[in-house]
């Protein structure tokens, strides 16, 4: 299973996602990164956020900058997480070990270009309020995928 982030905008969410990925055994994450959050080196302020928010996991997860074309090359299904009532509710969705899970940016969601590669859409059922924060959405969806024994 592969995790793909489509244009994340907040570095603190990237650090939180690193902690989730590490906790569930994912050592790699693909990132379409037009905002250049993924770098070889970070300044002191970003390092403090990376270490503090991720609990050190930021250094254990390899964030790989890729283009959206990487979705076309995905070996299995491309499963896009969206806050949409038309998508399959997370508890009813059956994950596969070769799925690529796509999560969109905090403000824009998954881009139309990334959606065009989708084989399936999944949503986290909610009872109100705004959609989940990117870091929280990744954690909830990955928990369910791992729970279904679709190990990374």
């Amino acid at each position: 299973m592969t995790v793909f982030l489509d244009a994340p905008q907040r570095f603190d969410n990237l650090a939180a996602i690193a902690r989730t990925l590490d906790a569930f055994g994912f050592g790699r994450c693909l990132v379409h990164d037009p905002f250049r959050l993924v770098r070889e080196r970070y300044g002191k302020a970003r390092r403090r956020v990376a270490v503090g928010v991720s609990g050190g996991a930021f250094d254990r997860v390899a964030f790989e900058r890729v283009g959206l074309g990487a979705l076309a090359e995905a070996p299995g299904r491309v499963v896009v997480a969206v806050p949409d009532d038309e998508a399959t509710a997370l508890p009813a969705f059956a994950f596969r070990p070769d799925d690529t899970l796509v999560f969109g940016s905090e403000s824009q969601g998954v881009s139309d270009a990334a959606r065009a590669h989708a084989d399936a859409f999944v949503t986290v059922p909610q009872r109100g309020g705004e959609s989940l924060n990117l870091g929280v959405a990744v954690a909830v969806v990955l928990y369910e995928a791992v729970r279904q024994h679709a190990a990374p």
Side-chain angles (χ1 to χ4, degrees):
M1 189 166 295
T2 303
V3 175
F4 185 102
L5 304 178
D6 180 22
Q9 297 170 313
R10 295 186 46 181
F11 187 75
D12 56 337
N13 278 336
L14 194 64
I17 290 166
R19 191 172 194 152
T20 297
L21 292 169
D22 187 51
F24 289 126
F26 291 79
R28 175 176 171 254
C29 181
L30 303 179
V31 185
H32 171 233
D33 189 26
F35 299 104
R36 299 197 33 82
L37 297 181
V38 176
R39 300 178 185 173
E40 283 188 37
R41 295 175 53 176
Y42 295 96
K44 287 181 185 178
R46 284 262 165 114
R47 260 328 276 162
R48 275 194 295 273
V49 171
V51 172
V53 174
S54 78
F58 197 82
D59 293 328
R60 293 186 294 273
V61 174
F63 288 98
E64 182 181 334
R65 295 179 79 206
V66 297
L68 289 174
L71 291 174
E73 299 167 10
R77 295 182 306 174
V78 174
V79 179
V80 176
V82 293
D84 186 338
D85 291 338
E86 300 297 317
T88 303
L90 184 61
F93 191 82
F95 289 95
R96 298 179 191 162
D98 63 348
D99 284 344
T100 296
L101 307 180
V102 181
F103 300 90
S105 73
E106 294 84 350
S107 65
Q108 302 299 315
V110 178
S111 67
D112 290 340
R115 283 178 185 246
H117 295 285
D119 297 303
F121 293 94
V122 65
T123 191
V124 177
Q126 299 176 84
R127 293 194 170 145
E130 293 189 31
S131 63
L132 295 173
N133 165 289
L134 176 60
V136 173
V138 170
V140 171
V141 173
L142 284 186
Y143 171 81
E144 179 61 17
V146 170
R147 187 194 69 78
Q148 292 181 19
H149 306 286

